[in-house]
Amino acid sequence: MQFSVLASGSTGNSLYVETEQVRILIDAGLSGKQITERLSLVGADPATLTAIFVSHEHIDHVKGVGVLARKYQIPIYMNEATWRNLPSSVGEISPTLQHIFPVHSSIELKNIRIESFPISHDAAQPMNFWIANRDAKLAVVTDLGYVNQKIVDRVTDVDTLIWESNHDVEMLRMGAYPWSVKRRILSDVGHLSNEDAAVALTDILKGKGENVYLAHLSKDNNLRELAHMTVKNILEETGLRKNRDFHLHPTFDDKPTPLRKVRTS
């Protein structure tokens, strides 16, 4: 099983996962043209996609869903509340392509299994996913205000984790955002700070060399180097060592990460 984070950030989010038999997207938050271009950069073709799974209805996660579904007749999976709250800009999607995929459910697509679990975010019924085959397991956990024990339990045995590290608290507090926006981001239905992301990872990582991709970084309230350093330092305070017990990787809003195996050892 291989993957690429096609985009991650407030301007758009999409994750591509493939096996010999299946090719899926988790979210399609760029335009159809942009997703096609990013897929091409990692050697993939949208016409071969098996399905698109949607975490929630915010535009940075669904912008290209309608275009891709209509052009390539791709089945779309999301929970009922998300279907009801899609922005009108997504456009019409044929009922034959609409699939209800509730929270706390799982599905097998040929040689992979996908399971959804709830998160806390200011959307109708937001959820994240883990994806597994017989050899490897990947989870994507972004757009959440806090991490509870149920989320920890869902992702403790993954090989690769796409993990939110959205903002530095002091940069956010001192920044130009209106206080109402700052309050939303800092709330239990907002986004994880670098420190909160790192503290949660201390409960999740087992020191088996897991790959962690720091995701959904704010352009205005974070720096890639700062997120990396904060997470690294907090993890190493627990005795874990970077590049031995865990590996940290960046994600980008303007380019995909290289296509890599979920399990590298």
Side-chain angles (χ1 to χ4, degrees), residues 170-229:
E170 287 308 309
M171 286 184 67
L172 175 62
R173 290 188 187 277
M174 299 297 291
Y177 283 10
W179 174 241
S180 60
V181 176
K182 294 179 182 180
R183 185 169 55 191
R184 169 193 166 264
I185 293 170
L186 292 167
S187 75
D188 283 351
V189 292
H191 292 279
L192 282 189
S193 70
N194 295 335
E195 288 194 359
D196 287 344
V199 170
L201 285 171
T202 65
D203 292 327
I204 292 168
L205 300 183
K206 301 304 179 185
K208 62 177 185 178
E210 297 99 325
N211 287 292
V212 178
Y213 284 72
L214 300 181
H216 215 303
L217 272 68
S218 169
K219 261 190 170 182
D220 298 315
N221 302 303
N222 211 349
L223 298 169
R224 194 170 289 114
E225 298 80 6
L226 178 58
H228 183 108
M229 180 181 67

Side-chain angles (χ1 to χ4, degrees), residues 7-19:
S8 185
S10 58
T11 57
N13 298 272
S14 188
L15 170 69
Y16 171 69
V17 181
E18 70 169 29
T19 70

Side-chain angles (χ1 to χ4, degrees), residues 67-137:
V67 170
L68 293 172
R70 290 187 290 272
K71 184 172 183 178
Y72 300 107
Q73 295 298 293
I74 303 168
I76 310 297
Y77 292 78
M78 63 183 89
N79 63 53
E80 190 172 358
T82 302
W83 275 113
R84 288 198 308 267
N85 286 276
L86 282 179
S88 59
S89 59
V90 170
E92 294 293 326
I93 297 175
S94 169
T96 62
L97 300 176
Q98 296 182 24
H99 297 269
I100 303 295
F101 190 62
V103 180
H104 295 303
S105 63
S106 64
I107 186 173
E108 291 190 7
L109 297 177
K110 297 184 179 179
N111 65 339
I112 66 170
R113 182 183 177 197
I114 303 163
E115 183 172 312
S116 62
F117 54 90
I119 56 171
S120 175
H121 193 52
D122 59 342
Q125 194 175 38
M127 59 187 189
N128 279 165
F129 308 93
W130 61 252
I131 306 157
N133 66 1
R134 63 180 183 178
D135 298 319
K137 185 173 179 180

Side-chain angles (χ1 to χ4, degrees), residues 6-7 30 34-42 253-255:
L6 299 180
L30 302 171
Q34 288 175 308
I35 288 177
T36 298
E37 291 172 349
R38 307 249 177 132
L39 286 170
S40 177
L41 290 173
V42 297
D253 59 355
D254 58 350
K255 64 180 180 180

